[in-house]
Amino acid sequence: MESHDIADFPRPVHHRIPNFKGDSRAAEHLLHLHAFPVARTIKVNPDAPQRNARFLVLESKKTLLVPTPRLRTGLFNKITPPPGATKDILRKCATSQGVRNFSVPVGLDSSVLVDLVVVGSVAVSEKGWRIGKGEGYADLEYAMMVSMGAVHEGTPVVTIVHDCQVVDIPEALVEDHDLTVDYILTPTRVITTGCARPKPTGIMWSKVSFEMLTKIPVLRTLREREKRAGKDVTLWDEPGSQQPAPSTVRRPQDRPQAGSRGGSHSPLQGTDTQLAATVYVGNLPYNTRVRELKRALQELGAVPLRLTWQGPQHRAVLHYTDSAAAQQAASLLQGLRLGANALRVSLGQQRDK
């Protein structure tokens, strides 16, 4: 999209939901979907390519819900234009600044029912399989909406992309918690995917880490509610959790876990403690998702205390408790491949606590 000058502001479009020339024209197809005229409440993601979709929802006098960025302060904001707002004001309300200035939070106890969901994508297939930035927020937002009763299996999901973003996606990349789409809107066409793959039926707590729980307060609230309801809310890096399904990562033979004591290992979560040693993992494929590396680390028994993702540099920094754990992890990771790339693994500078 950058090399063919399809990308639009903000640029570069790497590591974000990419904006593109023709995004407004693509969004206009939303008006002609059968689900739009009857929808009362529509959730639209806050990214740039969906700005015109947000405007069209407001202009049609429907309720617009926008997820809070990275879910830091809650799940939704309801956009509330001032009385008698002109088209220019509505357009301002549809911008990121407008979302901040003309909105009120929607709590978990609100009896909201979402009739239509619009999400952004990095890539999507005509079968309805979607790839986002790799951080999983759109998938988690939808799962949280299911948990609070805001959406159901029949709620249509739409994505707005450029034609070049419609690509073949191997089914092996699609997991149970991934959100699929029913309609793809591009500047030149409307694609009805007919996707039969089930959408998430709620939060899969076995895919949620302590790190995510720490960063997303509303997720902690939902977990407490589901725990009181008797549901299994065991996190993926919590003692007693089930191991994730094997991945397609090619790796060396299984070896003892790095940095483990008594057969346990540290979760992938943030810490304020200054760590003693780091391991640099480089030559990551350009399309690698964070979770692919995390899964490989878990399978090899090399799970760090914290992982710093440096996508633009195609590398990650793994932080361990001490130099011995880092050295063992570096040894375990030698020969690891992700996709077609053999990863470069090296020890970082050691630091005293």
Side-chain angles (χ1 to χ4, degrees):
M1 295 176 78
E2 285 287 349
S3 63
H4 290 82
D5 201 30
I6 295 168
D8 206 350
F9 178 83
R11 297 179 71 170
V13 294
H14 310 125
H15 312 291
R16 69 173 83 240
I17 298 297
N19 199 11
F20 57 90
K21 295 171 181 175
D23 61 312
S24 294
R25 191 164 64 253
E28 287 171 1
H29 293 307
L30 190 65
L31 300 173
H32 306 295
L33 295 180
H34 293 304
F36 187 85
V38 297
R40 294 182 179 181
T41 301
I42 300 177
K43 172 255 168 187
V44 184
N45 66 300
D47 298 293
Q50 283 71 50
R51 181 174 54 245
N52 196 46
R54 295 190 293 273
F55 164 72
L56 293 173
V57 172
L58 293 174
E59 187 185 37
S60 301
K61 302 187 184 305
K62 300 178 184 296
T63 298
L64 172 63
L65 300 180
V66 179
T68 59
R70 308 181 83 83
L71 304 176
R72 289 191 190 97
T73 58
L75 181 54
F76 294 131
N77 284 323
K78 177 183 175 181
I79 311 305
T80 55
T86 63
K87 279 192 176 184
D88 286 342
I89 295 296
L90 292 180
R91 291 190 187 279
K92 289 180 181 178
C93 291
T95 65
S96 57
Q97 185 66 42
V99 169
R100 289 191 291 270
N101 294 342
F102 299 96
S103 66
V104 293
V106 176
L108 292 178
D109 294 322
S110 303
S111 56
V112 61
L113 181 63
V114 177
D115 302 304
L116 187 63
V117 175
V118 180
V119 298
S121 301
V122 170
V124 64
S125 78
E126 292 193 10
K127 294 181 179 180
W129 301 339
R130 171 191 170 276
I131 293 176
K133 297 191 297 288
E135 297 176 330
Y137 283 104
D139 306 322
L140 186 57
E141 288 163 9
Y142 183 88
M144 292 168 73
M145 286 192 288
V146 173
S147 295
M148 63 185 289
V151 297
H152 54 83
E153 176 63 28
T155 305
V157 178
V158 180
T159 193
I160 299 172
V161 296
H162 191 272
D163 292 272
C164 74
Q165 292 174 264
V166 182
V167 298
D168 290 331
I169 297 176
E171 187 172 8
L173 293 181
V174 185
E175 300 186 46
D176 291 342
H177 64 279
D178 286 328
L179 179 62
T180 56
V181 303
D182 302 296
Y183 299 98
I184 303 168
L185 312 184
T186 79
T188 66
R189 56 183 176 151
V190 175
I191 302 170
T192 303
T193 67
C195 185
R197 189 182 183 93
K199 293 182 174 64
T201 56
I203 300 171
M204 298 179 65
W205 294 106
S206 60
K207 301 286 187 180
V208 177
S209 68
F210 277 111
E211 181 181 17
M212 294 173 67
L213 210 61
T214 301
K215 292 180 177 178
I216 306 175
V218 67
L219 192 59
R220 295 199 298 270
T221 304
L222 275 173
R223 184 174 184 244
E224 286 301 317
R225 291 186 179 188
E226 296 203 355
K227 185 176 182 179
R228 288 196 297 269
K231 296 184 179 181
D232 183 1
V233 294
T234 305
L235 306 181
W236 81 266
D237 48 2
E238 184 177 358
S241 65
Q242 295 181 349
Q243 295 292 322
S247 71
T248 56
V249 174
R250 287 180 284 170
R251 56 193 177 93
Q253 295 297 316
D254 291 338
R255 297 168 181 161
Q257 293 185 342
S260 62
R261 296 180 181 179
S264 64
H265 56 75
S266 302
L268 279 167
Q269 59 181 8
T271 177
D272 293 330
T273 305
Q274 188 177 24
L275 301 177
T278 54
V279 173
Y280 287 87
V281 179
N283 198 36
L284 292 166
Y286 76 95
N287 58 349
T288 297
R289 305 174 83 174
V290 179
R291 68 185 182 199
E292 294 176 53
L293 179 59
K294 287 183 177 180
R295 177 177 291 173
L297 293 171
Q298 187 177 40
E299 289 181 353
L300 291 173
V303 178
L305 281 175
R306 183 162 56 92
L307 184 154
T308 302
W309 185 252
Q310 298 180 341
Q313 289 78 37
H314 305 291
R315 72 177 184 181
V317 184
L318 314 179
H319 306 263
Y320 291 90
T321 54
D322 52 42
S323 59
Q327 289 171 359
Q328 188 175 4
S331 176
L332 292 172
L333 295 175
Q334 296 299 325
L336 176 65
R337 302 180 70 91
L338 284 180
N341 290 21
L343 304 189
R344 292 194 294 268
V345 179
S346 60
L347 284 168
Q349 293 292 324
Q350 296 185 4
R351 297 177 292 171
D352 295 328
K353 290 185 179 181

